[in-house]
Amino acid sequence: MGTTTSKNDTEQTDAVTDDAAADPKPTTTSAEQATAPADKAVTPEKKAAAPEDRVPDAAGTEEDEELGAESTPATGQAAPARRGIVAGAGAVAGAALGLASLTGTWAGTILAERQTVLGQIKLQTGKTQDQISAVYTTPWHTTALVNGVFALLALVVTGVVLLRRPQAAWTRAVAWGGFALAVLGLVVAGGMYLDLFAAAPKLGAGGS
């Protein structure tokens, strides 16, 4: 009986050993089972904290972009400002040229006086007998030519300013004023050169 019992115990022990070898699944202790839920409970907190950790990075990126935008020169705004300055200067210059074509210029006065001196020299040397043409008509026409040149310059400058858009209101107003003065100056210069406003004086029958 004792021998039979020991054999049965040996067979049961061998069977348990064989089952353990066939099923290699690790056994978890009670301590490991207690710590596992704690680890799983921490995971949602880590997931919730992840977006908060990324917020400072996004804020830092926005600040860097703002700093970069401030440090970059505003070339887009500088170009229209530069064009506005050029257009304003052109409008003022065109208006000044148009006014000069009406009132006369220093250059026109000097050239007219030069023609007067040349006419006197021709009279004294006998190169011409037409005293009126030498002393009056030629200087008069010279002044008209100079005024006409200034009027043409004013037309070109103000015309360029008016063709370029958009422009400031004051720029267009000054340009239109200069354009009107230029047209009027050109008409006056043409009338002076063609003797439309006043006929050239003529000597009488007894004049030389």
Side-chain angles (χ1 to χ4, degrees):
M1 293 292 291
T3 304
T4 303
T5 302
S6 62
K7 286 182 179 181
N8 291 333
D9 294 338
T10 303
E11 291 176 356
Q12 290 178 357
T13 303
D14 294 338
V16 171
T17 303
D18 293 338
D19 293 338
D23 189 7
K25 294 181 179 179
T27 58
T28 58
T29 62
S30 60
E32 292 177 351
Q33 292 177 356
T35 56
D39 295 338
K40 293 180 179 179
V42 175
T43 303
E45 295 178 357
K46 292 181 179 179
K47 291 181 179 179
E52 295 179 357
D53 295 338
R54 290 194 298 270
V55 171
D57 296 337
T61 304
E62 293 178 356
E63 291 178 357
D64 294 339
E65 292 178 355
E66 291 178 358
L67 291 175
E70 291 178 357
S71 60
T72 303
T75 55
Q77 297 178 357
R82 191 180 299 110
R83 288 196 297 268
I85 293 173
V86 173
V92 173
L97 289 172
L99 183 61
S101 67
L102 280 174
T103 60
T105 61
W106 174 81
T109 302
I110 295 299
L111 290 176
E113 291 179 354
R114 180 177 181 275
Q115 291 298 326
T116 300
V117 173
L118 290 176
Q120 292 176 353
I121 293 174
K122 289 179 180 180
L123 287 174
Q124 292 176 0
T125 57
K127 292 182 179 181
T128 181
Q129 299 297 325
D130 192 351
Q131 182 178 1
I132 300 298
S133 176
V135 178
Y136 174 80
T137 305
T138 301
W140 179 261
H141 291 171
T142 302
T143 302
L145 284 175
V146 174
N147 292 346
V149 170
F150 273 82
L152 287 176
L153 289 176
L155 283 176
V156 172
V157 174
T158 55
V160 170
V161 173
L162 291 173
L163 289 176
R164 298 184 63 181
R165 296 183 181 182
Q167 300 291 355
W170 72 268
T171 301
R172 297 186 64 81
V174 174
W176 276 115
F179 188 84
L181 289 174
V183 172
L184 186 58
L186 189 61
V187 171
V188 172
M192 288 175 60
Y193 188 82
L194 297 175
D195 296 330
L196 296 178
F197 303 122
K202 296 180 180 180
L203 292 174
S208 56

